[in-house]
Amino acid sequence: MANNSETEALETRKIVEEDEESEEEEETIDDWGDWRDDDDEEEEDSESGFLCLFCDANYSSCDAIFEHCRLSHHFDFHSIKTALGLDFYSSFKLINYVRSQVAENRCWSCRLTCQSNQDLQSHLHETVNFRDIQLFCGDDKYLKPFLQEDKLLYSFSDDDEGEDDYITSLDKEEVMKDLRQFEDICIDDENTVKKFESETCSANENGKKVSSTSNGHLNIASSSGTAIINGLDSSGVGPSEEKANGKDSRVSLVNLAAKDIKKVNESYFGSYSSFGIHREMISDKVRTDAYRQAILENPSCLKGAVVMDVGCGTGILSLFAAQAGASRVIAVEASEKMAAVATQIAKDNGLWRSRPQSEGNEQSTGVMEVVQCMVEEVGKSLQIQPHSVDVLVSEWMGYCLLYESMLSSVLFARDRWLKPGGAILPDTATMFVAGFGRGGTSLPFWDNVYGLNMSCIGKELVQDAARFPIVDIVADNDVVTNAVLLQTFDLASMKPDEVDFTASAELEPKLGGLESNSIKSNSTTWCYGVVLWFETGFTSRFCKEKPIVLSTSPYIPKTHWSQTIFTFREPIAMASGNFSANKTEAIGTDTCPAGRIHLRVSIARAVEHRSIDISLETTGIGSDGRKRSWPVQIFNLS
Amino acid sequence: MYSNMGYSNGHHQQQERVTTHRDRVRRGGRRSRESLRVSEHQQQQQQQQTERKPTTPCTDFDVAYFHSYAHVGIHEEMIKDRVRTDTYRAAIMQHQSSIEGKVVVDVGCGTGILSIFCAQAGAKRVYAVDASDIAVQASEVVKANNLSDKVIVLHGRVEDVEIDEEVDVIISEWMGYMLLYESMLGSVITARDRWLKRGGLILPSTATLYMAPVTHPDRYGESIDFWRNVYGIDMSAMMSLAKQCAFEEPCVETIMGENVLTWPHVVKHVDCYSIQIEELESITTSFNFKSMMRAPLHGFAFWFDVEFSGPAISTINNHVPSVIASSNNHPMDGFQKKKRANPNETLVLSTAPEDPPTHWQQTLIYFYDPIEVEQDQQIEGSVILSQSKENARFMNIHLEYASGGRSFVKESVMR
């Protein structure tokens, strides 16, 4: 039974932990030591829990759950039962009735419909009129279990007595796991996601704000001992973050968990944005069409193949691979939430391949399976031989190609799982650079604002821009130099550490074409900075029937990657041909424009994970061969 | 792979600016919300556009986060809102007689454009006050336009800067989304109480926040039904997540007059001459709409208008607050007020769905699932707008509504 003082103590402790981030490491372990016991059998048995009627808390006993419902949700099963004199069947119906109402976010007692489970949770109140409830749940349809395998239905009657003795026994590891899931739970606002119920045996996703969650959670810990939270992961927890979790020792897991709690608010918000990106990516026709064609129109590569999709997201690439006739598709996704969605989508489309070891009442007709883990850990959750995958497919590219990119995970998967000579889609990635003119800045706008000269604001903005890379679209006619290949990656052969690179490029003024009347030959053009973009190739090496290039250049329809803009501290004048330069003037000025700009670009993964540092060294070369170098500019894309 | 695309990173970038550029952040709030929400809406449209201009307000989802104000500039966006800037300019000209030879203070001057309009209208002196670093630029702009002798830029908060004389006119563009979200009305009140002469002019003089039930099948379809068929794949497993994602928070987007199901209801009327800051802490109103047509009810829209009337009219209002209070109960009143279009009468800057779009757009609170309403069906309930305890910048919106015998509660936070 719940011991209130213990609960409170724990809550207090929790708050302390949140405040003393640096110290909780040892302290937490000591704290939890009290709870440790030699009871290991519960540890893995998350299926065996009794699911709360209102939230996704899971308990080891009926009593624990009813106590939790009474304390947290104003639902006092025993009082209601007594007040109404409910027999077994009526009680049975009551449980099913309440579950059915909660699923629709309706209050079981006053029948108010809330917009979300979260709203419902805060709405729940003491029972007002018992008689109404008897009326509501009298219907025989509630004899049908609302949840499949609802253990509560089969146990509530036989544990009337002899409560009290649920010794709190928490495995340390489990506690840590739960702690880590704090973030997940808090983000789990998706109370409407009924689809997940069957997966997780949870009636409702529990969506709560930090404080209420931690309360609920600790109640669980103290009242039953087996705190199993079916928190579905947030997609906000990125693979790299989880990687850190996986590698670190348990001690630091606790540390991390506490930090995660602190970060909850940010992540809570963040999870929505990361969800939004899936729609944006799928709606990005340039991207999705390129992958779709590469996968569907190259049967010699895909037909009968074993395919691994690294970071599958919604699973769309895996589904394409299944449609293309792959014999087996392993979709790897680190985010629990997205993995659950991908699984459901695979099932809905009849492409799900149920695993041999599962009980499998559904016929396995499909070829696709979703593995929820880091790609580094696929072997732990799946029977798979090293070097047994024929095709590795992934959409790993980030802004400026390498920002938050999953390239290293793809390379890991290649080295571990791909057959020698196996295919990687895409198999090349190329970065390009070009100079942009005044139109690529916000200067033109400020020249004349309602007849006023506000150019000083434009200048200020451009100076600011010299410190931050900007992800945005550059119009093709604002590109004032040739486009130059900066770096090429061959995914089939590159080494993981080759992701960081330094490369050079030489920019020359674009010759006056039809479009660019402003750049007549021999006239000066101002280069305000450089723009970077990338292409990935599905080359004929593996895509024999239909090689494809996915480009994010300014010359093709825009993609969600846009381009990445790096602004110079001051614009550089350029001119092609033999400009009669004033030899006393500095290169790159109006009277002595540069004939070429030599760039040296380095891109390296920054210490802060996910972000990248870009350094830009710029040298103007006059038509007479004189050079002028500007101080190096460092940009951080984060 | 973007499942973990760094919102938080973008967020940090914004945070960074929080500390240094208060005003920009305020505007940044407007802007990033807009980019965030409208993106989905406009994306297809955007993709069809072959001509891409860098100065088009960016609609790319994440761009909002990476896109520092440095590039396009929040002020640029606001100045480009011609409805806004033109109405202010027209209001200044209309009240030229009250401005000529007088002392003006521009609260939250931004680039200084309103201050310059006032100087051009013959103001003796204009104090342009802004706490953000944009004040430095405003001062440059004033210099570049040879108005340094008339426009005095004060870099600081209205509470902190000193003006050693009483002022005749306060002008300010203080309105935020939903009128009050991150609004600078508090600064206007401070300026009024510190410096305004008796009988002085405040532009705008009044502001009214409206709400109305809306139907928006296209928006619902784009966000939710989209997942039913993606390249021939049934992705409806994403739909509940999509609902959550799309409709949990208020959305700032542009709707049309035809989306509105009936006359709007006045949520709050603000008389800038008499409003006290305490009145803004929490606003409660009850509504009772009657749908003018049969349609799926998708949610409620909020918008506002502001009026630029002289002190005389408002003084009357000041003395008879009951007139205004009573108008709260008659949605028609508010609606007709807004409809006045005679150029000799009070100028109105309206952000209503039937009027030309502004950068404020409308603010929508969508339901997770639509409610089918019949013609003349009642939609009643109440709204409480209050400052969030979690973060003072946020606004909590507690909405209760009932129709067709079913009642609902929706809590949302405008972040």
Side-chain angles (χ1 to χ4, degrees):
Chain A
M1 284 297 296
N3 178 325
N4 279 334
S5 63
E6 274 176 7
T7 311
E8 275 167 32
L10 261 169
E11 282 176 25
T12 317
R13 185 124 52 204
K14 185 77 254 152
I15 291 156
V16 170
E17 274 171 37
E18 284 176 26
D19 290 337
E20 302 174 5
E21 207 178 295
S22 57
E23 290 172 29
E24 81 277 82
E25 201 168 279
E26 284 178 76
E27 195 181 309
T28 313
I29 285 175
D30 288 345
D31 291 342
W32 293 112
D34 300 340
W35 301 94
R36 214 177 314 157
D37 210 322
D38 49 359
D39 186 353
D40 283 331
E41 65 195 68
E42 301 265 25
E43 183 185 342
E44 297 166 357
D45 205 357
S46 59
E47 305 288 69
S48 76
F50 293 85
L51 188 71
C52 172
L53 292 163
F54 300 95
C55 63
D56 65 354
N58 218 326
Y59 288 79
S60 60
S61 79
C62 277
D63 277 304
I65 204 132
F66 288 140
E67 185 64 11
H68 159 79
C69 288
R70 185 175 71 82
L71 292 173
S72 306
H73 305 302
H74 303 288
F75 178 79
D76 189 341
F77 177 78
H78 295 297
S79 313
I80 297 168
K81 202 176 153 190
T82 316
L84 295 174
L86 298 181
D87 60 11
F88 175 82
Y89 285 110
S90 306
S91 309
F92 195 95
K93 285 198 268 188
L94 175 65
I95 290 169
N96 285 319
Y97 162 74
V98 173
R99 286 210 194 276
S100 72
Q101 300 303 297
V102 170
E104 291 170 37
N105 295 327
R106 195 178 303 143
C107 174
W108 61 277
S109 120
C110 73
R111 309 268 277 178
L112 177 87
T113 304
C114 298
Q115 273 283 318
S116 67
N117 180 260
Q118 193 180 344
D119 292 342
L120 175 65
Q121 300 239 0
S122 44
H123 160 85
L124 288 173
H125 49 81
E126 297 294 340
T127 313
V128 185
N129 190 335
F130 286 105
R131 292 292 145 197
D132 282 353
I133 294 152
Q134 201 163 25
L135 209 66
F136 294 150
C137 66
D139 195 319
D140 278 352
K141 74 181 177 190
Y142 295 119
L143 282 172
K144 184 170 179 276
F146 183 78
L147 280 188
Q148 286 188 344
E149 296 176 53
D150 187 348
K151 285 188 72 182
L152 195 55
L153 293 175
Y154 307 104
S155 323
F156 68 83
S157 62
D158 52 39
D159 76 11
D160 281 348
E161 251 72 52
E163 36 204 82
D164 219 322
D165 282 337
Y166 273 87
I167 310 296
T168 45
S169 56
L170 267 179
D171 184 273
K172 184 176 78 187
E173 205 172 345
E174 197 166 41
V175 170
M176 291 171 187
K177 197 176 97 203
D178 294 342
L179 271 172
R180 258 191 298 164
Q181 285 176 335
F182 259 97
E183 182 175 30
D184 311 342
I185 299 155
C186 299
I187 296 159
D188 270 345
D189 215 3
E190 278 65 55
N191 25 62
T192 48
V193 192
K194 292 190 195 138
K195 289 266 165 74
F196 290 160
E197 287 172 9
S198 54
E199 301 298 321
T200 61
C201 251
S202 93
N204 279 291
E205 306 306 325
N206 186 5
K208 291 185 172 189
K209 297 265 145 66
V210 198
S211 56
S212 54
T213 307
S214 50
N215 289 342
H217 189 76
L218 289 154
N219 277 340
I220 294 162
S222 51
S223 61
S224 81
T226 348
I228 299 156
I229 302 291
N230 279 339
L232 293 182
D233 186 29
S234 68
S235 39
V237 181
S240 34
E241 209 163 324
E242 293 195 356
K243 192 190 297 174
N245 286 1
K247 280 181 184 166
D248 286 345
S249 69
R250 288 179 192 174
V251 173
S252 59
L253 282 182
V254 176
N255 202 345
L256 239 160
K259 281 184 188 151
D260 286 348
I261 296 164
K262 285 192 97 177
K263 281 189 224 145
V264 153
N265 267 332
E266 284 160 49
S267 313
Y268 175 77
F269 199 21
S271 65
Y272 297 109
S273 356
S274 57
F275 170 83
I277 197 94
H278 286 290
R279 184 177 179 284
E280 196 194 354
M281 287 192 300
I282 287 178
S283 309
D284 182 344
K285 265 190 87 63
V286 175
R287 161 199 180 268
T288 311
D289 278 341
Y291 274 91
R292 185 166 186 257
Q293 284 183 32
I295 293 169
L296 289 182
E297 297 180 27
N298 288 293
S300 69
C301 180
L302 268 298
K303 196 133 191 109
V306 175
V307 178
M308 183 181 281
D309 176 358
V310 180
C312 73
T314 55
I316 192 161
L317 303 185
S318 294
L319 293 162
F320 289 156
Q323 287 176 340
S327 64
R328 182 182 183 190
V329 182
I330 303 156
V332 185
E333 172 59 50
S335 149
E336 221 173 310
K337 184 176 284 178
M338 286 318 296
V341 169
T343 302
Q344 190 60 48
I345 290 171
K347 284 180 179 168
D348 291 346
N349 291 276
L351 295 168
W352 175 252
R353 173 191 200 259
S354 55
R355 289 207 217 145
Q357 66 262 37
S358 77
E359 283 141 58
N361 18 355
E362 50 192 314
Q363 287 293 329
S364 72
T365 50
V367 296
M368 174 173 163
E369 59 205 301
V370 179
V371 193
Q372 191 255 304
C373 67
M374 301 292 307
V375 74
E376 288 79 0
E377 289 163 357
V378 171
K380 288 182 190 165
S381 26
L382 193 70
Q383 281 193 322
I384 175 177
Q385 294 299 312
H387 310 295
S388 64
V389 169
D390 301 300
V391 179
L392 204 56
V393 59
S394 180
E395 198 275 76
W396 53 269
M397 299 84 77
Y399 292 123
C400 200
L401 187 65
L402 297 171
Y403 172 63
E404 290 215 330
S405 109
M406 283 199 310
L407 180 53
S408 46
S409 295
V410 173
L411 299 179
F412 179 92
R414 176 197 69 185
D415 295 339
R416 175 68 64 87
W417 308 116
L418 193 64
K419 271 181 191 164
I424 298 189
L425 304 182
D427 60 320
T428 64
T430 314
M431 296 181 80
F432 295 88
V433 63
F436 65 86
R438 197 166 194 269
T441 70
S442 54
L443 289 170
F445 172 81
W446 296 101
D447 286 349
N448 180 340
V449 179
Y450 289 81
L452 302 171
N453 172 8
M454 293 203 174
S455 53
C456 61
I457 293 179
K459 277 188 203 122
E460 171 81 5
L461 295 178
V462 169
Q463 273 170 28
D464 275 358
R467 295 183 289 130
F468 303 105
I470 295 164
V471 176
D472 200 2
I473 297 293
V474 172
D476 51 4
N477 54 9
D478 288 328
V479 174
V480 296
T481 72
N482 55 338
V484 180
L485 189 151
L486 188 65
Q487 176 76 350
T488 297
F489 296 111
D490 177 0
L491 271 71
S493 63
M494 73 182 286
K495 296 193 188 77
D497 59 6
E498 285 168 0
V499 172
D500 303 331
F501 71 92
T502 300
S504 296
E506 205 126 290
L507 303 178
E508 289 171 9
K510 190 160 71 176
L511 294 173
L514 284 173
E515 286 178 281
S516 46
N517 294 328
S518 56
I519 312 159
K520 296 179 196 91
S521 95
N522 273 356
S523 75
T524 305
T525 180
W526 289 89
C527 180
Y528 279 78
V530 295
V531 52
L532 258 65
W533 69 88
F534 64 87
E535 288 179 2
T536 54
F538 304 79
T539 71
S540 57
R541 172 163 49 171
F542 302 119
C543 296
K544 295 196 167 53
E545 291 88 348
K546 177 130 187 166
I548 299 281
V549 173
L550 166 54
S551 170
T552 66
S553 103
Y555 298 101
I556 58 121
K558 67 170 250 178
T559 68
H560 75 282
W561 286 286
S562 302
Q563 288 92 37
T564 312
I565 299 166
F566 302 87
T567 309
F568 294 150
R569 288 202 192 88
E570 58 180 11
I572 299 171
M574 298 183 81
S576 54
N578 279 325
F579 199 90
S580 50
N582 180 341
K583 303 231 171 187
T584 58
E585 285 291 325
I587 302 287
T589 54
D590 204 10
T591 48
C592 189
R596 290 169 291 153
I597 293 176
H598 181 85
L599 288 177
R600 192 158 178 271
V601 179
S602 296
I603 300 188
R605 287 159 296 178
V607 188
E608 253 175 276
H609 70 194
R610 300 192 201 184
S611 71
I612 53 172
D613 288 329
I614 302 109
S615 76
L616 190 62
E617 293 165 68
T618 314
T619 306
I621 302 168
S623 53
D624 55 357
R626 283 195 300 139
K627 288 183 183 173
R628 177 184 171 197
S629 293
W630 280 266
V632 61
Q633 283 177 271
I634 309 275
F635 297 86
N636 177 264
L637 190 52
S638 62
Chain B
M1 74 137 293
Y2 280 91
S3 64
N4 53 320
M5 196 63 234
Y7 172 79
S8 56
N9 290 312
H11 192 65
H12 287 320
Q13 210 164 358
Q14 281 197 331
Q15 289 287 357
E16 195 177 284
R17 305 192 190 297
V18 168
T19 52
T20 48
H21 312 289
R22 195 188 72 116
D23 185 60
R24 280 174 187 170
V25 165
R26 186 179 80 86
R27 310 301 194 185
R30 271 191 211 174
R31 156 158 202 86
S32 58
R33 288 194 63 84
E34 177 186 61
S35 312
L36 218 140
R37 295 304 170 186
V38 177
S39 59
E40 296 194 348
H41 201 64
Q42 290 184 346
Q43 189 151 18
Q44 284 174 322
Q45 215 178 315
Q46 281 273 319
Q47 274 172 352
Q48 283 157 8
Q49 283 178 1
T50 43
E51 195 187 333
R52 285 163 284 126
K53 293 177 193 158
T55 45
T56 318
C58 65
T59 55
D60 222 337
F61 183 86
D62 270 286
V63 169
Y65 304 116
F66 296 102
H67 209 291
S68 63
Y69 62 89
H71 185 50
V72 171
I74 286 97
H75 295 282
E76 177 175 337
E77 180 210 356
M78 292 198 300
I79 286 174
K80 270 187 185 158
D81 179 349
R82 288 204 79 95
V83 175
R84 163 198 178 270
T85 312
D86 283 342
T87 310
Y88 267 89
R89 180 147 75 169
I92 288 165
M93 295 325 287
Q94 194 183 39
H95 292 279
Q96 191 170 11
S97 58
S98 311
I99 294 172
E100 210 162 5
K102 299 288 174 54
V103 179
V104 179
V105 58
D106 175 0
V107 178
C109 67
T111 59
I113 191 160
L114 299 184
S115 297
I116 290 172
F117 288 162
C118 289
Q120 288 173 340
K124 182 169 80 178
R125 212 164 10 261
V126 184
Y127 294 99
V129 186
D130 205 305
S132 91
D133 288 353
I134 192 75
V136 178
Q137 300 309 317
S139 157
E140 294 287 317
V141 171
V142 167
K143 232 180 272 170
N145 293 278
N146 301 319
L147 289 164
S148 300
D149 56 329
K150 282 192 170 169
V151 181
I152 299 157
V153 179
L154 299 172
H155 186 181
R157 298 189 312 148
V158 173
E159 290 80 1
D160 302 332
V161 300
E162 292 300 332
I163 296 176
D164 295 330
E165 59 183 323
E166 289 195 309
V167 305
D168 305 283
V169 182
I170 292 175
I171 190 159
S172 180
E173 193 274 83
W174 53 266
M175 300 83 74
Y177 291 129
M178 253 181 118
L179 188 63
L180 299 172
Y181 174 70
E182 295 197 339
S183 98
M184 283 196 307
L185 182 53
S187 300
V188 174
I189 293 171
T190 305
R192 178 193 70 195
D193 296 346
R194 282 191 74 181
W195 302 309
L196 189 66
K197 263 184 203 159
R198 268 185 89 82
L201 175 68
I202 304 181
L203 294 179
S205 51
T206 65
T208 312
L209 175 63
Y210 301 88
M211 74 181 286
V214 294
T215 183
H216 205 338
D218 293 349
R219 169 74 159 83
Y220 196 82
E222 270 168 36
S223 305
I224 309 304
D225 296 328
F226 169 83
W227 296 103
R228 289 188 197 279
N229 182 341
V230 182
Y231 285 83
I233 293 167
D234 172 6
M235 289 210 170
S236 47
M238 292 287 273
M239 283 171 63
S240 29
L241 264 174
K243 279 183 195 171
Q244 182 85 19
C245 174
F247 301 142
E248 194 196 20
E249 289 177 44
C251 308
V252 176
E253 57 191 48
T254 301
I255 59 167
M256 305 305 231
E258 51 263 37
N259 294 120
V260 179
L261 285 174
T262 187
W263 305 114
H265 167 81
V266 173
V267 177
K268 177 72 184 172
H269 181 83
V270 171
D271 178 348
C272 297
Y273 292 94
S274 61
I275 183 89
Q276 296 300 316
I277 194 83
E278 299 77 32
E279 289 177 57
L280 302 170
E281 280 164 10
S282 176
I283 292 165
T284 305
T285 186
S286 296
F287 54 81
N288 191 348
F289 297 106
K290 207 183 223 186
S291 179
M292 284 165 55
M293 58 189 122
R294 179 167 186 255
L297 168 64
H298 287 100
F300 293 101
F302 292 79
W303 67 85
F304 65 87
D305 60 29
V306 298
E307 292 189 8
F308 298 88
S309 50
I313 300 164
S314 291
T315 314
I316 293 164
N317 284 349
N318 202 354
H319 291 307
V320 196
S322 57
V323 172
I324 291 149
S326 68
S327 77
N328 278 355
N329 304 323
H330 301 285
M332 288 295 288
D333 273 13
F335 199 67
Q336 285 167 344
K337 195 192 295 175
K338 189 163 50 59
K339 281 282 129 187
R340 280 187 303 206
N342 187 335
N344 295 324
E345 289 195 32
T346 305
L347 270 165
V348 176
L349 168 54
S350 167
T351 67
E354 66 270 23
D355 289 316
T358 69
H359 79 281
W360 285 286
Q361 308 185 69
Q362 288 84 39
T363 302
L364 283 113
I365 296 183
Y366 286 108
F367 308 153
Y368 292 129
D369 295 296
I371 302 172
E372 295 294 332
V373 297
E374 301 294 327
Q375 190 179 334
D376 293 333
Q377 185 170 324
Q378 302 237 341
I379 304 155
E380 52 190 339
S382 63
V383 179
I384 304 171
L385 306 177
S386 57
Q387 206 175 58
S388 164
K389 292 193 177 70
E390 180 190 356
N391 181 331
R393 277 179 51 228
F394 297 168
M395 181 157 73
N396 285 339
I397 303 159
H398 177 87
L399 181 64
E400 292 185 19
Y401 55 99
S403 194
R406 297 206 298 156
S407 43
F408 304 88
V409 180
K410 175 148 182 158
E411 297 269 8
S412 33
V413 185
M414 186 117 176
R415 292 167 200 269

